[in-house]
Amino acid sequence: MTQGSPDMMVTVSANGLLGTHSWLPYDKNISNYFSFTKDSTVSNPKTQRYLYGPFAPGAELSSKTLVVSHDGKLLFSGGHWDNSLRVTSLSKGKVVGHINRHLGGLKANQQNFHGLKDMN
């Protein structure tokens, strides 16, 4: 961990359930040496936070499609059905930003130079 980074573990389940868990201090008396405090919002249906979807067919939630910001406040996600990159607040579980990328072709008679639809 770098200085100023939060001491947390972020989890995202296969159905998009978000969890932000706190690491416990190192204890050599624990058999696996690593332990954490479970995020209480994960087990309470009223407080659960989900990653907004849907995702593109065949897209998997993985370290290739998810990245946590250096301060631990935001989750960046790719692989969405609309080819967008979304930014989710981990504390609220809400999308706070997104960038859409259009992959289809444009027809010259539908778009003018400024990207506005021609009326004639």
Side-chain angles (χ1 to χ4, degrees):
M1 305 283 306
T2 59
Q3 184 178 7
S5 295
D7 223 5
M8 69 181 336
M9 176 178 59
V10 175
T11 58
V12 181
S13 69
N15 67 347
L17 178 63
L18 296 173
T20 52
H21 315 278
S22 301
W23 286 108
L24 294 174
Y26 172 76
D27 184 353
K28 66 179 180 178
N29 296 319
I30 298 175
S31 62
N32 66 6
Y33 302 112
F34 299 102
S35 58
F36 60 92
T37 303
K38 184 178 177 183
D39 181 354
S40 60
T41 65
V42 172
S43 55
N44 184 345
K46 291 184 179 183
T47 60
Q48 289 176 338
R49 298 162 291 160
Y50 286 89
L51 186 60
Y52 182 77
F55 289 88
E60 296 180 21
L61 296 177
S62 72
S63 61
K64 292 181 179 182
T65 56
L66 302 171
V67 177
V68 178
S69 64
H70 68 89
D71 61 2
K73 294 180 180 180
L74 303 171
L75 178 69
F76 297 86
S77 59
H80 296 277
W81 69 274
D82 60 356
N83 297 312
S84 66
L85 171 70
R86 298 184 186 172
V87 183
T88 302
S89 165
L90 285 170
S91 63
K92 296 180 181 181
K94 303 284 183 198
V95 174
V96 295
H98 71 280
I99 299 171
N100 287 335
R101 180 172 176 235
H102 179 73
L103 295 177
L106 294 175
K107 295 181 181 177
N109 64 349
Q110 290 181 332
Q111 302 289 327
N112 66 17
F113 179 75
H114 301 288
L116 302 173
K117 186 170 182 175
D118 287 332
M119 299 306 286
N120 47 359

